[in-house]
Amino acid sequence: HVQLVESGGGSVQPGGQLKLSCVSSGYVYNSWSGSCMAWFRQLPGKEREAVASIFSAGGSTYYADSVQGRFTISQNNAKDTVYLQMESLKFEDTAVYYCALAVPCMGWSMPAPKASDFGYWGQGTQVTVS
């Protein structure tokens, strides 16, 4: 079965940086049917919001306006690991960050990915900026 395992969360001061990783397993990547991976974040009592996403076949990306220019999403060559490099972290970046996978995938909702676009989720990792 498909599994996503996140790592890299923690506490950091404002202006600092963190790098999240998410390793996926349990499926075979197919460049024809594609896959999409994303990072969402969630605060208590709030809906999960898309932070960044990447389309494996073409490399297209999405960034939320709030993180544009500060966060970078990337994948390894095998397309089974996704990273989120977070720079210039702010207090408001504090949240639980979730890795998400959609396979097969030919894209995501516009104007922003929705949680329902993704069928597989990691357990979440806490990021605290204080």
Side-chain angles (χ1 to χ4, degrees), residues 2-6 22-25 37 99-101 120-123:
V2 177
Q3 282 190 306
L4 302 177
V5 179
E6 300 131 335
C22 172
V23 180
S24 63
S25 61
M37 298 192 78
C99 175
L101 166 71
Y120 303 99
W121 293 86
Q123 78 284 358

Side-chain angles (χ1 to χ4, degrees), residues 24-110:
S24 63
S25 61
Y27 72 100
V28 177
Y29 172 73
N30 181 310
S31 60
W32 181 80
S33 58
S35 68
C36 299
M37 298 192 78
W39 290 95
F40 284 71
R41 64 188 181 188
Q42 188 171 27
L43 288 169
K46 297 286 186 70
E47 288 192 1
R48 207 166 284 192
E49 65 168 356
V51 175
S53 58
I54 186 165
F55 179 43
S56 300
S60 298
T61 57
Y62 160 86
Y63 291 98
D65 289 344
S66 58
V67 307
Q68 181 76 45
R70 299 188 298 120
F71 291 10
T72 303
I73 189 170
S74 61
Q75 277 191 302
N76 65 346
N77 288 337
K79 311 297 186 184
D80 60 5
T81 302
V82 65
Y83 307 97
L84 186 68
Q85 178 67 45
M86 303 185 292
E87 309 276 352
S88 303
L89 283 160
K90 304 176 180 180
F91 292 117
E92 51 265 41
D93 294 319
T94 296
V96 177
Y97 284 70
Y98 294 90
C99 175
L101 166 71
V103 55
C105 179
M106 299 306 292
W108 47 72
S109 299
M110 296 296 289

